[in-house]
């Protein structure tokens, strides 16, 4: 909501406004400014300072007597005439019957007294008695022009503290920083902008990842949404040639505002096939922040909280745009849950966001069992493409051996990789990696250098999933043949 909308609410006939904002100082300044324009006397209450004038005015001689909410509301209820009252952080007391009744009494006499209450906090959940007497609002977040102005202010402050030196930057770095500061309140923009400038007196491309981490930390999602600090290069993913071609074709759309950004992809297939690694590589290739949504952490025992958690996580992803949102093992959050209906409500919330989002958030979902996913999620248009991740072929397995041996500083020249790739037919990438790990442990235990024999022995001692779950793999391949694209 923009500031003009807030002015209209203050001018209107709704007696109670629930104003949600983390930027209390700016919210109070805006309300105070609108109160002056409307010619209204205004008061402010806090638990620590009691009642005082909002802006200019005479202080109460006994303000500290009104620190407790009930005492403050009784005093304010005794005042007459048009009045604007801002109550800061009253939310912990909105389960107190007397506080609720006092607020209701004041709201019900609005036509007679023209007194308006503004409840200001970072989050407000009003009791049912007050909902129909109120309206929710929020402070408008700064747009790109405002962010640019705030950056100039911080640059000027740094210049004054450093003998007139100018902050160094270039247009591309400045535009990238502005794009990544979207979705934050004014004070947070200033704080993060100062952090980007103050360390070296410059705004560069290297500031963006650090800023994204700090931005995400400000919007703590309590374990539901995780910022993945380590992504992967596409070169570290063996195979996936179909997915790599798809990514390269759509890379220009990430920066070109005239092209529609990719919606995302669904990766399904055998466990250990590299789906999670591919999700990390998508973010790494496109140089985007990677957010991982933990479907299990979404669920809450209180009715409605699970959907609220998901909406908050998706809203945070929108503010982090452009970014990659990775939902790992999506089927675990959308499986049928008996009579509670939570999974259906979660699905509805997710589908609505997928259909209506305007942000440049690329959704990457991974699944081990696509058969349990609802058909509404699978239809064309939800994802740009559905990729099937099958067992790696001979050349891909050879590449996987090379990658994992190089990660462990093992020179591949002395090994017959073709033979190892042939022996590991039916193995997933994860199983090949564990074979390399097991061989390294055995060689260390024998106080020997790693040799071909150790790797061969580790492979022969492994029973891959393709053997243990042959029927399930056959059914999965048959399903994918007509319904998906090979990754």
């Amino acid at each position: 909501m923009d500031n003009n909308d807030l002015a209209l609410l203050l001018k209107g006939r709704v007696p109670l406004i629930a104003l949600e904002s983390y930027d209390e100082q700016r919210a109070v300044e805006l309300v105070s400014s609108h109160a002056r324009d409307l010619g209204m006397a205004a008061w402010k209450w806090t638990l620590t300072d009691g009642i005082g004038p909002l802006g200019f005015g005479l202080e109460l001689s006994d303000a500290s007597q009104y620190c407790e909410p009930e005492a403050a509301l009784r005093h304010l209820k005794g005042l007459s005439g048009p009045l604007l009252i801002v109550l800061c952080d009253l939310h912990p007391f909105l389960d107190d019957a007397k506080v609720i009744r006092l607020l209701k009494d004041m709201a019900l006499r609005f036509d007679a007294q023209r007194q308006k209450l503004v409840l200001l906090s970072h989050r407000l959940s009003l009791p049912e008695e007050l909902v129909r007497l109120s309206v929710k609002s929020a402070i408008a977040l700064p747009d790109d022009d405002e962010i640019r102005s705030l950056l100039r202010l911080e640059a000027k402050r740094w210049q004054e503290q450093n003998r007139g030196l100018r902050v160094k930057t270039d247009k591309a770095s400045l535009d990238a920083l502005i794009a990544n500061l979207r979705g934050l309140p004014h004070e947070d923009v200033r704080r993060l902008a100062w952090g980007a400038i103050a360390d070296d007196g410059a705004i560069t491309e290297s500031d963006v990842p650090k800023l994204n981490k700090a931005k995400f930390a400000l919007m703590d999602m309590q374990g539901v949404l995780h910022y993945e600090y380590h992504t992967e290069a596409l070169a570290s993913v063996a195979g996936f040639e179909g997915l790599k071609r798809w990514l390269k074709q759509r890379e220009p759309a990430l920066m070109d505002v005239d092209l529609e950004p990719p919606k995302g992809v669904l990766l399904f297939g055998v466990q250990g096939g590299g789906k999670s690694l591919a999700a990390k590589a998508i973010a790494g290739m496109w140089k985007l922040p990677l957010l991982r949504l933990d479907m299990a952490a979404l669920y809450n025992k209180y009715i409605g909280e699970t959907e609220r958690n998901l909406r908050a996580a998706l809203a945070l992803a929108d503010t982090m745009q452009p970014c990659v949102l990775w939902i790992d093992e999506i089927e675990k959050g959308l499986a049928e849950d008996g009579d509670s209906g939570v999974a259906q409500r979660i699905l509805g919330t997710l589908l609505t966001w997928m259909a209506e989002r305007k942000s440049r958030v690329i959704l990457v979902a991974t699944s081990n069992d696509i058969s349990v996913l609802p058909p509404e999620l699978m239809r064309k248009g939800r994802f740009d493409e559905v990729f099937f991740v099958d067992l790696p072929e001979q050349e891909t397995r050879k590449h996987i051996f090379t990658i994992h041996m190089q990660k462990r500083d093992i020179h591949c020249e002395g090994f017959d990789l073709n033979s190892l790739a042939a022996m590991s037919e039916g193995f997933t990438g994860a199983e090949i990696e564990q074979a390399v790990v097991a061989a390294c442990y055995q060689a260390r235990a024998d106080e020997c250098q790693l040799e071909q024999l150790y790797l061969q022995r580790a492979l022969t001692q492994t029973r891959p999933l393709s053997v243990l779950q042959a029927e399930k793999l056959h059914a999965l391949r048959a399903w994918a043949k007509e319904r998906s694209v090979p990754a």
Side-chain angles (χ1 to χ4, degrees):
M1 175 175 289
D2 64 32
N3 299 329
N4 291 328
D5 292 334
L6 178 59
L8 289 173
L9 288 178
L10 292 172
K11 192 186 295 185
R13 294 177 53 81
V14 179
L16 184 60
I17 299 173
L19 185 57
E20 292 186 335
S21 175
Y22 281 93
D23 198 343
E24 180 180 299
Q25 183 176 348
R26 177 168 174 77
V28 169
E29 288 173 355
L30 284 171
V31 173
S32 178
S33 173
H34 291 314
R36 286 196 302 272
D37 293 342
L38 296 170
M40 297 178 70
W43 294 90
K44 173 185 171 185
W45 171 86
T46 68
L47 186 62
T48 51
D49 296 331
I51 299 172
L54 184 61
F56 298 102
L58 294 174
E59 298 281 348
L60 290 179
S61 59
D62 53 355
S64 60
Q65 294 183 20
Y66 304 113
C67 287
E68 292 303 314
E70 184 182 341
L73 290 171
R74 286 191 185 281
H75 175 80
L76 293 167
K77 183 181 175 183
L79 302 178
S80 59
L83 191 63
L84 179 63
I85 303 164
V86 178
L87 304 166
C88 297
D89 289 335
L90 190 66
H91 61 276
F93 307 99
L94 290 177
D95 58 355
D96 185 304
K98 289 184 179 179
V99 169
I100 294 171
R101 185 67 242 184
L102 284 164
L103 289 170
K104 188 174 181 180
D105 287 344
M106 295 173 73
L108 288 172
R109 66 177 194 167
F110 175 76
D111 287 335
Q113 296 289 346
R114 311 303 274 178
Q115 293 178 351
K116 192 175 289 281
L117 301 170
V118 177
L119 274 59
L120 173 60
S121 180
H122 73 289
R123 182 181 294 176
L124 287 162
S125 179
L126 297 182
E128 291 183 14
E129 299 96 315
L130 301 177
V131 169
R132 292 197 176 185
L133 298 169
S134 67
V135 64
K136 273 199 171 185
S137 181
I139 299 298
L141 297 172
D143 59 20
D144 285 5
D145 290 337
E146 290 179 283
I147 293 172
R148 196 179 298 274
S149 297
L150 293 170
L151 277 169
R152 288 197 188 101
L153 287 173
E154 296 308 302
K156 184 178 180 181
R157 183 158 71 97
W158 186 88
Q159 185 178 7
E160 290 169 352
Q161 294 179 11
N162 290 272
R163 305 178 200 175
L165 291 174
R166 293 175 63 85
V167 174
K168 299 176 183 177
T169 189
D170 58 79
K171 186 179 185 302
S173 298
L174 189 61
D175 289 346
L177 194 72
I178 290 170
N180 285 276
L181 285 169
R182 292 180 192 135
L184 290 173
H186 291 71
E187 194 56 37
D188 288 340
V189 169
R190 295 190 65 161
R191 191 181 307 125
L192 294 184
W194 176 257
I197 292 168
D199 58 343
D200 57 1
I203 296 174
T204 63
E205 191 177 321
S206 63
D207 289 317
V208 173
K210 292 183 289 185
L211 183 141
N212 275 323
K213 293 174 188 177
K215 177 179 175 180
F216 186 82
L218 286 172
M219 303 174 175
D220 178 39
M221 274 301 298
Q222 300 177 342
V224 174
L225 200 62
H226 304 267
Y227 189 103
E228 294 290 324
Y229 292 92
H230 302 291
T231 56
E232 295 286 347
L234 207 60
S236 65
V237 181
F240 288 88
E241 298 305 323
L243 176 62
K244 289 175 181 177
R245 282 193 300 273
W246 186 90
L247 292 172
K248 288 174 182 175
Q249 287 171 357
R250 281 156 181 78
E251 188 171 13
L254 294 174
M255 297 304 169
D256 190 340
V257 293
D258 295 327
L259 291 175
E260 185 177 343
K263 291 184 177 70
V265 294
L266 173 63
L267 305 173
F268 76 97
V270 295
Q271 297 182 39
K275 299 183 294 297
S276 298
L277 183 66
K280 293 181 178 181
I282 291 172
M285 174 187 175
W286 284 346
K287 297 180 182 178
L288 296 176
L290 177 61
L291 309 181
R292 179 172 59 84
L293 179 61
D294 187 342
M295 294 297 283
L298 277 177
Y299 282 79
N300 190 293
K301 64 181 178 180
Y302 298 109
I303 294 175
E305 280 298 303
T306 300
E307 302 92 292
R308 181 172 183 167
N309 284 341
L310 179 59
R311 285 194 296 270
L314 297 175
L316 175 50
D318 286 335
T319 66
M320 292 290 292
Q321 66 160 325
C323 67
V324 173
L325 177 61
W326 169 29
I327 306 181
D328 196 22
E329 298 185 352
I330 189 172
E331 72 276 10
K332 291 186 176 178
L334 300 179
E336 291 297 330
D337 57 341
D339 297 328
S340 71
V342 176
Q344 284 299 310
R345 294 196 297 273
I346 283 283
L347 175 63
T349 300
L350 181 60
L351 292 179
T352 300
W353 175 81
M354 290 173 71
E356 297 181 356
R357 76 184 190 273
K358 305 298 182 185
S359 58
R360 302 176 84 81
V361 177
I362 293 90
L363 180 61
V364 178
T366 59
S367 173
N368 293 325
D369 187 1
I370 200 168
S371 64
V372 301
L373 289 177
E376 306 97 294
L377 187 70
M378 301 291 298
R379 76 162 176 80
K380 208 66 176 173
R382 300 297 189 193
F383 294 96
D384 291 317
E385 198 58 84
V386 177
F387 286 103
F388 174 55
V389 180
D390 204 348
L391 294 172
E393 297 178 346
Q394 169 90 4
E395 280 303 310
T396 304
R397 295 196 298 274
K398 183 179 174 181
H399 189 190
I400 293 171
F401 273 107
T402 302
I403 289 171
H404 291 300
M405 291 170 73
Q406 288 177 346
K407 277 186 178 180
R408 293 160 179 81
D409 295 324
I410 301 168
H411 296 291
C412 300
E413 290 79 7
F415 294 86
D416 184 355
L417 295 180
N418 288 320
S419 172
L420 293 173
M423 284 188 67
S424 59
E425 184 175 358
F427 280 57
T428 65
E431 289 165 340
I432 291 173
E433 181 182 11
Q434 286 309 305
V436 173
V437 170
C440 289
Y441 276 129
Q442 189 59 54
R444 176 65 61 87
D446 293 345
E447 298 182 353
C448 296
Q449 292 288 328
L450 182 68
E451 297 176 352
Q452 180 95 1
L453 182 62
Y454 285 104
L455 290 166
Q456 291 173 337
R457 190 181 301 159
L459 291 172
T460 57
Q461 292 173 350
T462 301
R463 290 292 176 270
L465 278 175
S466 61
V467 173
L468 298 175
Q469 298 184 2
E471 296 82 3
K472 184 179 287 189
L473 177 60
H474 178 75
L476 184 63
R477 281 174 166 166
W479 190 97
K481 187 175 180 181
E482 301 296 332
R483 298 176 175 88
S484 64
V485 175

